[in-house]
Amino acid sequence: MKKLNLFNASDEKQSSKIAFKGGAYSLIVTAIVLAIVIVVNVLASALPSSVTKLDISSSKLYSITSNTKAVVNALEDDVTIYWIVQSGEEDDVIENLLSKYDSLSDHIEVVKKNPDVYPTFAEQYTNETVQNNSLVVECGDRSRFINYDDIYIYDSYYDSSFDGEGAITSAIDYVVNEELPKLYVLEGHGEAELPETFSDQVEKENIEVYTLSLLTVDSIPEDADCVMIYAPSSDISEEEKEILSDYVADGGKLLIMAGLTVDGELENLYSILSDYGVEACDGIVIEGDRSHYAFQQPYILLPDMESDDITNSLIEENYLTVVPIAQGLTVTDDTNGAEVTELLTTSSQSFSKADGYYISTYEKEEDDIDGPFAVAVKIENDNDGQIVWISSSNFIDDLYNSYSSGANMDMTMNSLASLIGESEAMAIRSKSLNYNYLTISDSTASVLKTFMIGVFPLVYLGVGIGVVLRRRRKQNEAS
């Protein structure tokens, strides 16, 4: 029998035409999709990094705080940030940070300066050795140099940190403001030298520091935003006490860190507190509660923190301040109309030993004064005068500040900011570069190993065997 030809020539032609149309349609769709992808990529590359990059780091290393946004959005003058870096040596974190500043305001321009091309550029701004990825912030005739070591801070005592945002925003705030807060530091009573860490932080906060001797003036200078007394070894005179008291009564601000001296108490200085119902106890505070002192030394106190603008940031992060060799303070009811806040307080088991530096035992004796005590207070009178008083002369020593992981310095800077009037730039703190590790017990580790090495693989194997058997059964049924 002759086999029938089911497809004639016209059918084959029609089939070829359909196949051609289908292929052309596929090519057109592919071209459109590719064009869309290219356009999306071009548009995405034009967007600022703040939109296209998400910061999932625990310390928000790649984010800009609201404080910086407030400073930048208030700019009225043009600011140039010069990035001194060799080609190919750009720091990725700094590059990301600078791109955020550049996108925040039309008043900010970031300009790269390759030292190989411009070898003398940085000399007009600094005499320091200029490292790659250093910065210069300039506005008009004012400028500030930011060395790479001021951006990445490595401290042998506690956490290494990244202070890029704080340094840049502080520099911007500095170059656009000619009037800066003035801090007068009292001298003439054997005061200790301000710790370098504190001085560096004050400079970063754009606070100008001057020395002041009350023996040569009749009153506190009118341009003083705050007067600081740090670790005097001898007492002030009655005349000096009157000048300081009048200054606070007229709305002035005092920051005092002073405790018991080797030679005795600072009666005239501490009498400033008595005007507001705060009395100093004789001697040195000894803590009887083991959880409230450090390093097996009952005079190195770990006081409780009371909620206040000065302490809240530390409380939220579970920091503890370390207060060594402190004099106890008690607050009476007669505050002369002032509001007194006990910022740091000892436990009910604390006591004060009147012998001070010459104590012979840490045990409580019959003549000791019972606690609890305040070792830091904030006083606000009805004329906007303020005092922050920390009853330890060693509070911001670098050693004790390191013991507190920087909490002592943070509390001091918070106090200064509260007295002077905190600007947005002052509130930016450095960001830790340390990794946070997950710590688990041995029993938890054993359970996880059992599941990861034993249970999960067996479950996956069982599921796989089940799938294979089901497919074979279906094949057998079909045949």
Side-chain angles (χ1 to χ4, degrees):
M1 180 181 292
K2 188 176 179 180
K3 189 174 181 180
L4 295 175
N5 185 6
L6 299 178
F7 298 96
N8 55 33
S10 61
D11 292 335
E12 291 181 2
K13 186 177 180 179
Q14 184 66 23
S15 178
S16 299
K17 187 181 294 186
I18 293 172
F20 175 78
K21 288 183 178 179
Y25 177 76
S26 298
L27 287 174
I28 292 172
V29 171
T30 302
I32 292 173
V33 171
L34 286 175
I36 292 173
V37 170
I38 292 171
V39 170
V40 168
N41 275 278
V42 170
L43 292 176
S45 64
L47 293 174
S49 59
S50 58
V51 176
T52 60
K53 296 181 180 179
L54 298 177
D55 186 359
I56 59 174
S57 61
S58 59
S59 60
K60 295 300 179 182
L61 186 63
Y62 305 97
S63 299
I64 292 290
T65 63
S66 59
N67 305 82
T68 288
K69 293 175 182 177
V71 171
V72 171
N73 290 336
L75 288 176
E76 297 179 356
D77 301 317
D78 292 335
V79 174
T80 303
I81 303 176
Y82 294 105
W83 185 11
I84 305 172
V85 61
Q86 293 172 310
S87 178
E89 298 295 327
E90 294 87 352
D91 182 284
D92 292 337
V93 179
I94 294 177
E95 183 173 23
N96 177 71
L97 182 64
L98 291 176
S99 69
K100 292 182 183 296
Y101 278 91
D102 194 21
S103 63
L104 278 175
S105 173
D106 293 334
H107 288 291
I108 293 181
E109 181 184 10
V110 177
V111 178
K112 273 189 182 181
K113 287 291 183 179
N114 189 331
D116 294 334
V117 180
Y118 305 96
T120 62
F121 172 76
E123 293 179 2
Q124 59 186 309
Y125 299 102
T126 181
N127 294 323
E128 297 182 39
T129 301
V130 180
Q131 303 179 58
N132 263 330
N133 292 291
S134 295
L135 306 169
V136 172
V137 179
E138 183 181 56
C139 178
D141 296 331
R142 294 173 67 82
S143 65
R144 173 175 286 182
F145 171 68
I146 305 173
N147 208 335
Y148 184 72
D149 289 338
D150 298 324
I151 297 173
Y152 286 94
I153 303 171
Y154 296 96
D155 196 307
S156 58
Y157 286 120
Y158 51 94
D159 291 350
S160 55
S161 58
F162 177 78
D163 196 27
E165 183 189 358
I168 296 172
T169 301
S170 174
I172 292 173
D173 188 57
Y174 170 77
V175 298
V176 300
N177 290 301
E178 295 186 4
E179 295 294 329
L180 300 176
K182 292 180 173 59
L183 173 67
Y184 281 83
V185 180
L186 196 66
E187 64 178 5
H189 312 89
E191 289 86 357
E193 184 177 355
L194 293 175
E196 183 178 357
T197 306
F198 174 77
S199 298
D200 290 344
Q201 190 67 35
V202 167
E203 180 182 359
K204 176 196 165 186
E205 310 290 10
N206 300 327
I207 300 172
E208 296 180 340
V209 179
Y210 301 89
T211 57
L212 173 66
S213 172
L214 295 180
L215 299 176
T216 60
V217 298
D218 296 325
S219 61
I220 303 298
E222 293 184 359
D223 63 351
D225 292 283
C226 182
V227 174
M228 180 177 181
I229 303 175
Y230 177 65
S233 57
S234 62
D235 201 5
I236 62 175
S237 66
E238 292 186 6
E239 290 76 13
E240 291 172 306
K241 184 263 177 182
E242 290 300 323
I243 292 175
L244 292 170
S245 294
D246 291 343
Y247 170 66
V248 176
D250 291 337
K253 323 293 183 183
L254 281 182
L255 174 61
I256 300 178
M257 279 174 273
L260 192 71
T261 67
V262 176
D263 297 329
E265 298 179 0
L266 306 171
E267 293 184 7
N268 288 330
L269 181 61
Y270 267 82
S271 66
I272 296 174
L273 285 175
S274 62
D275 294 341
Y276 301 100
V278 181
E279 302 293 341
C281 299
D282 294 336
I284 291 177
V285 176
I286 300 298
E287 184 58 73
D289 183 352
R290 180 65 186 85
S291 64
H292 282 79
Y293 64 87
F295 312 117
Q296 299 180 348
Q297 302 295 334
Y299 60 87
I300 302 179
L301 312 177
L302 298 175
D304 295 320
M305 276 188 274
E306 302 301 321
S307 178
D308 186 81
D309 291 342
I310 293 174
T311 57
N312 282 341
S313 61
L314 301 176
I315 294 173
E316 289 171 3
E317 297 296 329
N318 297 316
Y319 277 107
L320 294 175
T321 55
V322 177
V323 185
I325 315 176
Q327 192 165 357
L329 306 174
T330 58
V331 181
T332 67
D333 294 332
D334 186 14
T335 62
N336 198 24
E339 181 180 349
V340 180
T341 303
E342 299 181 9
L343 299 174
L344 302 176
T345 56
T346 63
S347 77
S348 59
Q349 298 181 40
S350 61
F351 51 92
S352 183
K353 300 189 77 68
D355 291 337
Y357 278 88
Y358 302 100
I359 60 175
S360 56
T361 178
Y362 296 138
E363 298 297 326
K364 189 175 185 304
E365 298 177 304
E366 184 177 353
D367 294 334
D368 294 338
I369 303 171
D370 293 330
F373 307 101
V375 290
V377 296
K378 181 175 78 171
I379 299 171
E380 300 171 281
N381 65 24
D382 54 8
N383 197 31
D384 294 329
Q386 295 182 46
I387 301 173
V388 175
W389 195 299
I390 301 171
S391 61
S392 169
S393 295
N394 308 101
F395 185 69
I396 55 172
D397 282 0
D398 287 339
L399 178 64
Y400 293 107
N401 183 51
S402 68
Y403 287 159
S404 70
S405 297
N408 284 15
M409 187 63 64
D410 280 346
M411 179 172 173
T412 304
M413 295 310 301
N414 289 348
S415 301
L416 195 55
S418 175
L419 294 169
I420 289 177
E422 183 173 24
S423 70
E424 298 291 347
M426 290 181 69
I428 301 173
R429 299 292 185 252
S430 57
K431 300 171 183 179
S432 176
L433 292 174
N434 286 14
Y435 293 103
N436 294 321
Y437 295 97
L438 175 63
T439 303
I440 59 176
S441 65
D442 289 340
S443 59
T444 304
S446 297
V447 172
L448 289 176
K449 287 178 182 178
T450 301
F451 274 91
M452 298 301 293
I453 298 175
V455 175
F456 289 158
L458 290 175
V459 171
Y460 294 147
L461 178 61
V463 171
I465 292 173
V467 171
V468 171
L469 292 176
R470 186 171 64 254
R471 287 179 177 176
R472 287 186 176 179
R473 186 168 60 250
K474 288 183 177 180
Q475 290 175 355
N476 293 333
E477 291 175 353
S479 61

